[in-house]
Amino acid sequence: MDAQIENAIQIAWNPASDQNLKGQAFDFINQLRSDPQGWQICLNLFIRTPRASEIVRHVALEVINHAVQARQVGLDGFMLLKDGLLQYARAMYKAADGGVIADNVTIQNKVAQTITYLFTTLYAREWPTFFNDFMDLTRTSNSSVPDNPSGIIFYLRLLVSIHDEIAEVLLPRSSEEQQRDNDLKDLVRERDAKAIASSWQEVLSHWRTRDSRVVEQCLAAIGRWASWTDLSLIVNDTLLSLLFELVGPQNSTVKASEGENLRDVSIVTFTEILAKKMKAEDKLELIDVLRIETVVSQLLTSPALNEMRSTSNYDTDLAEKVAKLVNSTVVDIVAVLDSSSTSEPAFLRADSQLKVFLPHVLRFFSDEYDEICSTVIASLTDILAYFRKKAKFNTDYQMMLRPILQAIVAKMKYDETSSWGAEDAQTDEAEFQDLRKRLRILQQAVAAVDEPLYIDTISTVVGTIFEKFQSQRGQLDWRDVDLAMHEMFLFGELAVKAGGLYSKTKPVSPAAERLINMMFKLAQIDIASFSHPAIQLQYMEICVRYSSFFEANPQFITRALEYFVQFMHHKHPKVKSRSWYLFQRFVKHLRQQMGNLAHTVIQSVSDLLTVKAELPEEDSGNDDMSSDEDEDSADATFNAQLYLYEAIGCICSTRAVPVENQVVYLQSVMNPLFSDLEACLGSAKAGDALATLQVHHLMMALGTLARGFSDWTPANTSSTASPPATAVSEEFAKVAEAILVALESLQNSFEIRTAARFAFSRLIGVLGNRILPQLPRWIDGLLSQTSSKDEIALFLKLLDQVVYGFKTEIFEILNALLSPFLQRVFTGIAEPITGTDDEVQLAELKREYLGFLVVLLGNDLGSVLVSTTNQPLFDTVISTIEHFARDITDFPIAKLAFSVLIKMTQTWGGPDVSSQVSHMSNGVSVHPQPTLPGFDQFIMERFSVLCWAVPTNPEFKPKDAQGRQVLGEAANLQKAIYAKTGAKYLSWLRDAELRGMGMDDATMEEYLGALCNLDGRAFKLFFQNFVQRGDR
């Protein structure tokens, strides 16, 4: 059997094996894993002499580990494993003649893992001598000192493995596993921690000058165990003298590389010991005992971190390790300072330590390598958060803020080796921008602590660079200019936080005043003339962000627009495409100040308005890794181009431009698009994909032009915008007609319907009620037989917009169109679901359909649902709502369905009658007066029963949060019915519903009393609890 298993493993892991044989071999090994006796065979295979190959022994251990973890091994089996593996370890790592070749690292780690699993099961009772048994491996026979290196290495590996299994905080554990691990740690501390700590001291004392590998492994074990072992057993003169020696000048008795490794391991050991949780006073004492500040200072003056800092030999790995040590130390110090329970002596001690360590934090924070800088950001964040609470009362902390802010600003600058815009530097650029975001948060923290300092510092930095730019006539490193521009952009978070720079022509704050001065300087020194693309982009971003400056100082607008136009023709795709978007933002903010520039601007960008569609490459959709459009791609170019059309619309529409000029400007932009549309239509009809895409683009451009032209929407009384002049609307009527012709010709194209729907929603604001006569054509075109559920749902949203805008003006049109339109909606709802996307689209269609009904009822158009024309479809409408209200698989839709029923009840139920008589008296009841004859009886027979359809469904869970919301709406519907029908509804409930549900008289009276006497909110809660009570 052993030979068969060995052969299967060899075949399975041999790259040259036949694939069929490989499959059979893996099947065999998997059967071995599931065989309750398989681990025993593998144990014999692993410990046998002569040894099997490495891969065979590795797989054998894997099978054993699987059996242990899958609980296929009983106590007798564990004892068998214990005896076998302990005997193996003694033979392998404590051979008297020294002639045994030790396992390689991979096998050692695997064996240590297996023995660790045995430890977790047997240590408490069956194997109390566990640690003594493996400590014995560290000595050769008859020796009193740990002089067996192979045994020591294995023993230390086992200790690391045990820590990782029972004490590693990053390892997820179940509550049972956590309890087991806690119990094991307690037992180790009680039984063996002292002996284990002594073994470390003995190993370090004997091997510190003999074998660096042993020292490294021992320090690694100490660092791991320090987090859960009594530090008094670990931190002693022997360990500290060794650590101080190792982090100091390299020992002449070891090779340079070995000395560096020992030094690095020692630093990590310092960090791990320091990470142990303890009382504040004890932590401060530990920082002093470990002499962390001395260690850090010594390392910072070492050649690796000092002389080599600006060279290619700079030891970044060492710098990062020391930075982690500094970060951990400072985080602990700040935690002590920020604790309300810290004693006065401890506070003063921590305060002193913070002042000592801050320069070290700033040293690593200012390191040119961003990875090293990022390492101490956590501690600097904690410092600033603490200063925000205390700096106002502590002048020392205020003094410490200036170097912190200066370091943050300096780190904001691109380093000397960086390049901007190069394809091979995209990853570095993204990482730097991410660092800048973190630095921005730190700057905001400084500003929150000391706003005047922040204002003065940033103003000085920006002003100094601008002065250099002016004096050197623009001959300045682009990185310096970028720093000034970036800080100026960020400065606005303080300066314009109230919404603008000015209040009645005066700066709103000292920060705003400084920023206004920066903007004057920016405009006067003509910084946009700097040729670097990064500066040009920053310039436009700043102009957009601080557009209120140009409102107050319109004399600078013309020059800014000239630069925008220049950058919009830039050869760099990133500058070019971004500038089109920023131009639209700039123009939109300042449209009223640009009326006299409209003609010039349109002429300047007219060459950029040519729409040219390009079919995507066939494999362009296969790159799943790319989430962003290529800035130079056809899609990205066209999407950016739409911003130009919107900007042109903004400029044309300003009050300063006479109506006749508005018409001329619009025609100059529209006519080329019309001509192109007419020219492409024939080819598109014939199935030319490129021509169809061109038509799509032209329709989108025309729709975007309309969006830019008008902010007005019908029926929006809160807006100050006014509808366009009649002459302008007539021009856009031509746009609507052209798009409709294209839509009617290419109705089966999804892309064309999408573009037409986009244009329709934008044309409402420029056409007003002129669009209403065309509404039947829009509906016919946008809802073809091939329209998806998603398209129907989107069009329902558009109709919501039309209904809200025109209300009863569209009654006649809607009356004629509603039935065929709703038939199309019902067809979409009834279509079978073929996948997840279909399911999502169906839910959206249901939601929009119900929402559309609410909009109709809420805008005095409910009568269109019951008109003579649409009466035949009314019962279908009610049936769909009833179906949705009963559906407990989709609570949001059910809730919305009840909302529609409530709205119908309120719309057609007539005046409220419930308040005029109490059901408890013998008074004369007031009869319902519905606006629709018989509607009172209808809502009791059809609507009321739905309130019980959900809670009586056996699958309904009344404690479900969404289910309770549906019950709440059902309760609201009952209150609405009662309000319109009064005592008649109470009688109906008693005789036709509640009694049939098996309620006794007392329960019915309780229920009816609650319906009558409680307000809506109270009855809603009553009904929810009533249903839950009945479910018990």
Side-chain angles (χ1 to χ4, degrees), residues 70-84:
R71 301 182 180 179
Q72 296 175 355
V73 182
L75 182 58
D76 291 342
F78 273 111
M79 298 305 292
L80 181 63
L81 281 170
K82 170 208 162 190
D83 293 340

Side-chain angles (χ1 to χ4, degrees), residues 111 208 419 423 447 500 575 709 750 807 913 976:
V111 174
R208 62 189 297 174
S419 58
E423 287 191 14
V575 176
F709 197 92
F750 171 78
K807 300 189 186 319
V913 299

